[in-house]
Amino acid sequence: MKRSDPQIAPGAFKLYDAYAHGDLSRRDFLEGLRTYAIGGLTVSALAGALLPDYANAQQTETGDPRLIEADLLYASPEGAGEMSGYLVRPAGEAAPRGGVLVIHENRGLNPHIRDVARRAALAGYVAFAPDALHPLGGYPGTDDEGRTLQRQRDRGEMLEDFIAAAQVLRDHPACTGRVAAVGFCYGGAVANELAVRLDWLAGAVPYYGGWPDPADAQAVRAPLQIHLAELDDRVNAGWPDWRDALNEAGAPYELFMYEGAQHGFHNDTTARFDPEQAALAWSRTLAFFDRVLSV
């Protein structure tokens, strides 16, 4: 089932959004779905349509001969101390390439974000996707467990871990030294924060992420390409304040609002996925990388 499937009511998507962001327990999520399990659709079938399907929704595969992949340990002195990330780049002899830092959602470095990193590498970049759960043993294999673990980490320390990752990518011999960040949901919020904290960042692409303190807009130097879903009331509520602050600061940004799309519309492992809107957003993202990383 996809976002447009008429069997999935808007209220069911809202329940999943609350559950995915830790505002609803699994038990309450399933209980709430009973309202929408009608017309022969069972709660288990509805939940199965809403929950991620990593096994059948990968666009790329690990072991692709066109790529070089490695899990890389790195130092994060102001954060967790030791961290780990997934580094992937085009195979073959080549000059250094621009770097793309890929920042996961609120559940650690799951198979979908690894897939996104491979997509960036296949587009010609050196991609690095850190795992904020490394200090707790890494992504545990399920998003439920991943969300539980990520809530145990301090948000300030995690931000420092991603800042350290950006610096590691910048200084990697396969990278030109120019780095842009892309993040989704929690990762979108981190991408916004990196634009505030790193004056050397080449660009940031937050997908439906939370917003920095408007007072921090004065620090933004990197161009932003912001992707929002029309039906994502929770995230969109904070956009006007951040927009006004960016405008007042004269910070460079462009916004794309995707009509009829749900929060998470780029994630092709859940029913919120919108194939046309996701393809359009990703094409815009790659064009943005081409602009800011080829300078």
Side-chain angles (χ1 to χ4, degrees):
M1 294 181 188
K2 300 302 182 188
R3 180 194 62 79
S4 58
D5 193 312
Q7 291 180 300
I8 302 181
F13 282 115
K14 289 186 180 299
L15 280 173
Y16 176 72
D17 187 67
Y19 166 61
H21 292 92
D23 299 326
L24 202 64
S25 70
R26 185 178 180 88
R27 179 177 180 177
D28 289 341
F29 165 61
L30 295 175
E31 184 64 31
L33 288 182
R34 293 184 183 279
T35 302
Y36 305 101
I38 58 177
L41 184 64
T42 66
V43 168
S44 60
L46 183 54
L50 288 165
L51 294 170
D53 180 7
Y54 293 131
N56 298 308
Q58 299 290 294
Q59 293 189 23
T60 68
E61 294 185 5
T62 188
D64 189 315
R66 295 172 295 174
L67 300 173
I68 297 173
E69 306 166 75
D71 288 314
L72 176 69
L73 293 176
Y74 70 94
S76 177
E78 304 300 321
E82 180 189 82
M83 283 292 294
S84 176
Y86 175 56
L87 184 73
V88 54
R89 56 191 173 91
E93 295 294 330
R97 300 168 180 266
V100 175
L101 186 73
V102 183
I103 309 170
H104 61 66
E105 303 138 312
N106 66 334
R107 60 213 72 167
L109 183 55
N110 61 29
H112 170 64
I113 298 300
R114 286 179 175 265
D115 185 16
V116 172
R118 289 192 292 271
R119 296 178 208 175
L122 287 171
Y125 302 102
V126 182
F128 190 40
D131 186 359
L133 300 186
H134 174 75
L136 302 175
Y139 176 71
T142 71
D143 281 9
D144 276 350
E145 295 172 295
R147 276 188 293 269
T148 298
L149 287 179
Q150 192 156 321
R151 285 197 295 268
Q152 296 174 21
R153 292 224 47 209
D154 178 81
R155 290 181 70 91
E157 283 192 357
M158 283 193 291
L159 178 59
E160 295 297 337
D161 294 334
F162 287 110
I163 289 173
Q167 294 167 338
V168 166
L169 179 56
R170 178 193 63 188
D171 298 338
H172 193 279
C175 183
T176 61
R178 294 191 65 83
V179 171
V182 60
F184 306 87
C185 188
Y186 163 78
V190 173
N192 277 321
E193 290 290 351
L194 293 184
V196 169
R197 291 283 301 273
L198 301 179
D199 60 5
W200 54 264
L201 194 70
V205 185
Y207 278 71
Y208 32 79
W211 312 106
D213 185 329
D216 292 337
Q218 295 287 340
V220 174
R221 298 292 180 269
L224 301 171
Q225 185 182 83
I226 301 164
H227 299 273
L228 297 179
E230 181 189 28
L231 303 182
D232 189 3
D233 296 338
R234 178 180 56 84
V235 169
N236 295 350
W239 164 239
D241 287 344
W242 184 236
R243 176 200 61 206
D244 292 348
L246 290 174
N247 287 338
E248 184 177 349
Y253 75 89
E254 57 184 345
L255 170 78
F256 296 104
M257 181 71 73
Y258 295 87
E259 183 178 356
Q262 301 277 347
H263 179 94
F265 73 87
H266 184 264
N267 187 331
D268 51 2
T269 70
T270 80
R272 300 179 296 178
F273 176 54
D274 186 314
E276 292 183 4
Q277 305 275 44
L280 176 59
W282 189 244
S283 69
R284 287 168 169 166
T285 298
L286 292 181
F288 177 85
F289 290 158
D290 186 57
R291 293 197 303 271
V292 303
L293 294 177
S294 62
V295 176

